[in-house]
Amino acid sequence: QGFYRTAQEAFQNITRHAAAHQVRVDWSQQNGTVTLAISDDGRGFSVDGVNSDEHFGLRGMQERASMLGANLELISHPGQGTTVKLIMKV
């Protein structure tokens, strides 16, 4: 359920903010690690300029990752889209 809710929030963020034309969803399981990666070709943003305390969607994704014992990676640059990765050892 944590993976599902993280994906749901990522899709909502893409819809609200990214102005993306394409979205890619990757799911992989290798060497005891499960990875969900959701990438878009939208606006992107500066990750350094984001305070997750003020952005409830990002904070929720981070909290879910923590509850799962997983890592959340957020990769984004202005004009270059965004990738959200949820990585968990199984």
Side-chain angles (χ1 to χ4, degrees):
Q1 187 178 16
F3 278 84
Y4 174 79
R5 295 292 180 209
T6 299
Q8 184 179 35
E9 183 62 37
F11 291 136
Q12 286 180 354
N13 287 344
I14 291 167
T15 301
R16 289 182 188 149
H17 307 293
H21 296 280
Q22 293 184 344
V23 176
R24 179 181 172 133
V25 178
D26 293 299
W27 174 270
S28 66
Q29 185 171 352
Q30 295 179 337
N31 303 321
T33 301
V34 174
T35 303
L36 169 67
I38 300 172
S39 303
D40 69 64
D41 65 349
R43 290 186 182 126
F45 58 95
S46 174
V47 175
D48 295 334
V50 173
N51 180 348
S52 64
D53 290 338
E54 297 173 4
H55 297 273
F56 299 112
L58 294 176
R59 184 172 69 192
M61 286 192 282
Q62 290 171 333
E63 289 172 356
R64 280 189 197 91
S66 179
M67 288 188 311
L68 290 169
N71 293 320
L72 183 75
E73 292 181 10
L74 185 61
I75 305 157
S76 188
H77 302 284
Q80 298 181 20
T82 300
T83 299
V84 173
K85 285 187 182 181
L86 186 60
I87 305 162
M88 185 175 82
K89 297 272 187 195
V90 291

